[in-house]
């Protein structure tokens, strides 16, 4: 292993990073064939109150990790969190604020899927203080939605965005996939154009990938050829740019001031607590220790009285931290200031010196001495770039 990457020169952290909270709600109406998230078909009657009680107990057990920091953002993901009633989410948010507190300008995001949208329900969500929606549209083409196993059609996708606006949400993300089975570039651009006509502040636009432990992995669909995928990518990025959406991360595009603060915290190697079935967290300690942890995965186990919520934890070693930090930071198109590396890892920048120089020589990493950022070429070969910071035997 590269000597520089395994030095024992980690220092105490002068300041702990911002702290966010991820809340996982694991149920969906139906499991999609491409989905590798910890999601499960919802029972006929959701155990809302029992699950909220479990989440708040989970948070209470995590409070020592917060080290007195208020939350800067909350992301309620899944699954389909919009299956939960406004009453259940009010109980959850009230309980979170009573236990840990948050900054006055906190960003609170709720993931929602078309097909679960009702005007009164989403107006009530907004009144709770939820101020950002991430809508899982995926496509506006009903045929493609059916192939993806989605429970909504194209008309419902359109109505979802309209209901969100009418409910008072000003910060909306539309989640859209491309490279779908049998999709042409024209169809992909039609999807994207329709999304832009709805005028969201943020678009997550990414290629469908086939992941292990999914139905598509065992029964793969026919996906477009590489040349077609490249055409879609180039045309789509040009279309987004022409409408004022700046790409600030591999698959995230936003108008000014509409970037996802919660996700930016991930990519800048900030801290986050994770509560809920299968949730993950990452926390830093003042003495320089940085750890990742994860919770019990199966909802029934998570809800069982007396069953520990924590399933495992891992301290990150000095040799792992460069890769862990850069795996996040280099997803940002502008990268991060070089000083953030030492600030968030406790390691001196010198531990990156050899691999950094090699990456610059190969044209994968920016030569700007003040930033750690992938070049445009490096963004295309991000995995190759990151491997250079794993060290060699």
């Amino acid at each position: 292993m590269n000597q520089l990457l395994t030095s024992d020169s980690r220092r105490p952290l002068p300041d702990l990073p911002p702290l966010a909270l991820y809340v996982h709600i694991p149920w969906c109406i139906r499991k999609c064939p491409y989905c590798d998230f910890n999601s499960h078909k919802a029972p006929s009657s959701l155990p809302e109150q029992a699950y909220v009680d479990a989440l708040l107990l989970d948070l209470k057990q995590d409070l020592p990790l917060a080290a007195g920091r208020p939350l800067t953002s909350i992301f309620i993901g899944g699954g389909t969190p919009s299956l939960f009633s406004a009453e259940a989410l009010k109980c959850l948010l009230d309980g979170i604020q009573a236990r840990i507190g948050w900054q006055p300008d906190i960003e609170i995001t709720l993931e929602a899927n078309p097909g679960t949208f009702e005007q009164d329900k989403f107006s009530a969500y907004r009144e709770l203080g939820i101020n950002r929606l991430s809508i899982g549209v995926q496509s506006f083409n009903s045929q493609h939605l059916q192939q993806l196993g989605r429970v909504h059609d194209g008309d419902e996708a359109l109505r979802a965005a309209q209901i969100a606006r009418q409910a008072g949400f000003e910060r909306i993300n539309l989640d859209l996939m491309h490279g779908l089975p049998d999709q042409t570039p024209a169809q992909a651009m039609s999807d994207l154009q329709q999304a832009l006509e709805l005028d969201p502040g943020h678009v997550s636009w990414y290629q469908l990938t086939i992941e292990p432990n999914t139905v598509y992995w065992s029964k793969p669909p026919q996906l477009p050829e590489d040349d077609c995928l490249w055409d879609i990518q180039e045309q789509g990025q040009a279309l987004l740019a022409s409408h004022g959406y700046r790409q600030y991360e591999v698959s995230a595009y936003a108008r000014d001031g509409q970037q996802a603060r919660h996700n930016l915290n991930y990519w800048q190697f900030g801290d986050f607590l994770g509560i809920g079935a299968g949730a993950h967290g990452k926390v830093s300690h003042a003495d320089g220790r940085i750890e990742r942890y994860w919770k019990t995965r199966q909802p029934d186990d998570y809800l069982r009285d007396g069953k520990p919520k924590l399933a495992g934890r891992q301290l990150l070693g000095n040799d792992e931290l460069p890769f862990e930090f850069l795996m996040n930071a280099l997803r940002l198109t502008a990268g991060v200031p070089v000083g953030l590396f030492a600030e968030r890892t406790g390691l001196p920048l010198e531990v990156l010196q050899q691999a950094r120089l090699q990456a610059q020589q190969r044209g994968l990493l920016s030569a700007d001495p003040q930033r750690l950022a992938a070049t445009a070429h490096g963004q295309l070969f991000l995995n190759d770039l990151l491997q250079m910071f794993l060290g060699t035997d």
Side-chain angles (χ1 to χ4, degrees):
M1 191 69 72
N2 188 315
Q3 182 67 31
L4 289 172
L5 296 183
T6 59
S7 67
D8 293 323
S9 53
R10 196 189 308 185
R11 304 159 185 156
L13 301 179
D15 297 295
L16 293 178
L19 181 69
L21 174 67
Y22 175 75
V23 181
H24 190 73
I25 295 179
W27 293 289
C28 286
I29 296 175
R30 183 170 63 206
K31 180 81 170 180
C32 296
Y34 61 85
C35 179
D36 67 336
F37 295 156
N38 185 34
S39 59
H40 305 263
K41 188 178 186 303
S44 56
S45 178
L46 281 173
E48 287 189 337
Q49 190 58 55
Y51 195 73
V52 168
D53 290 344
L55 287 169
L56 294 177
L57 175 59
D58 195 355
L59 178 61
K60 180 181 178 181
Q61 294 170 351
D62 277 1
L63 286 182
L65 301 174
R69 289 171 288 175
L71 298 176
T72 60
S73 65
I74 299 172
F75 193 103
I76 306 172
T80 305
S82 52
L83 291 176
F84 269 38
S85 67
E87 292 77 15
L89 293 184
K90 181 181 190 307
C91 183
L92 172 65
L93 291 173
D94 287 349
I96 292 170
Q97 190 169 29
R99 285 160 178 78
I100 191 169
W102 57 57
Q103 292 184 348
D105 63 344
I106 188 169
E107 174 190 271
I108 305 177
T109 301
L110 178 76
E111 283 189 336
N113 285 337
T116 66
F117 269 72
E118 302 164 11
Q119 184 67 58
D120 290 347
K121 186 179 185 180
F122 278 80
S123 295
Y125 287 161
R126 184 66 189 92
E127 290 174 5
L128 297 180
I130 295 170
N131 50 26
R132 186 173 181 271
L133 279 185
S134 182
I135 306 175
V137 170
Q138 312 309 356
S139 175
F140 294 94
N141 182 306
S142 292
Q143 180 181 347
H144 288 146
L145 287 168
Q146 186 174 22
Q147 288 174 299
L148 292 171
R150 305 296 286 178
V151 298
H152 66 276
D153 60 23
D155 289 340
E156 286 175 311
L158 288 170
R159 284 198 297 272
Q162 294 162 355
I163 288 173
R165 288 284 186 209
Q166 293 165 4
F169 286 94
E170 296 178 357
R171 301 191 69 217
I172 296 172
N173 169 62
L174 296 184
D175 218 43
L176 203 64
M177 292 196 297
H178 60 86
L180 307 181
D182 303 316
Q183 187 182 50
T184 65
Q187 289 172 326
M189 290 309 99
S190 176
D191 265 354
L192 190 53
Q193 182 64 51
Q194 179 62 79
L196 298 180
E197 288 175 5
L198 294 171
D199 197 31
H202 192 285
V203 177
S204 297
W205 189 65
Y206 54 94
Q207 183 180 321
L208 170 66
T209 56
I210 307 301
E211 303 290 349
N213 302 314
T214 65
V215 172
Y216 273 2
W217 183 261
S218 57
K219 299 178 180 179
Q222 184 65 47
L223 299 183
E225 298 289 340
D226 287 347
D227 287 348
C228 178
L229 294 172
W230 182 252
D231 287 344
I232 291 172
Q233 186 73 27
E234 284 195 320
Q235 292 177 34
Q237 288 183 330
L239 181 60
L240 283 155
S242 72
H243 282 72
Y245 291 84
R246 183 174 64 85
Q247 183 182 15
Y248 70 101
E249 188 267 344
V250 170
S251 59
Y253 302 77
R255 289 185 168 152
D256 290 344
Q258 291 281 332
Q259 292 88 349
R261 287 165 49 193
H262 186 86
N263 290 343
L264 277 172
N265 187 55
Y266 289 154
W267 298 322
Q268 293 168 350
F269 212 52
D271 282 355
F272 57 98
L273 304 178
I275 61 174
H280 287 238
K282 174 255 172 184
V283 290
S284 307
H285 302 270
D287 62 6
R289 289 177 299 124
I290 298 174
E291 67 174 306
R292 295 195 181 275
Y293 67 91
W294 51 96
K295 302 298 174 60
T296 298
R297 184 175 176 85
Q298 293 298 321
D300 289 346
D301 288 342
Y302 185 82
L303 285 166
R304 189 168 294 129
D305 289 342
K307 175 80 174 181
K309 304 287 187 260
L310 183 67
R313 63 199 317 163
Q314 174 193 9
L315 282 175
L316 297 177
N318 287 3
D319 57 337
E320 298 172 288
L321 278 170
F323 180 83
E324 288 278 338
F325 177 89
L326 293 169
M327 178 176 64
N328 291 281
L330 295 183
R331 289 184 65 91
L332 294 168
T333 55
V336 296
V338 292
L340 194 68
F341 178 75
E343 181 181 329
R344 297 284 161 90
T345 67
L347 291 172
L349 185 64
E350 287 74 23
V351 302
L352 300 179
Q353 181 177 346
Q354 183 176 332
R356 190 180 177 195
L357 181 60
Q358 292 172 348
Q360 289 172 350
Q361 291 171 343
R362 289 180 56 183
L364 299 175
L365 195 70
S366 169
D368 184 346
Q370 301 304 316
R371 299 198 70 81
L372 292 168
T375 61
H377 184 63
Q379 285 283 333
L380 296 175
F381 298 96
L382 198 53
N383 287 338
D384 293 339
L385 172 56
L386 290 170
Q387 290 298 314
M388 300 181 71
F389 291 92
L390 281 174
T392 55
D393 293 333

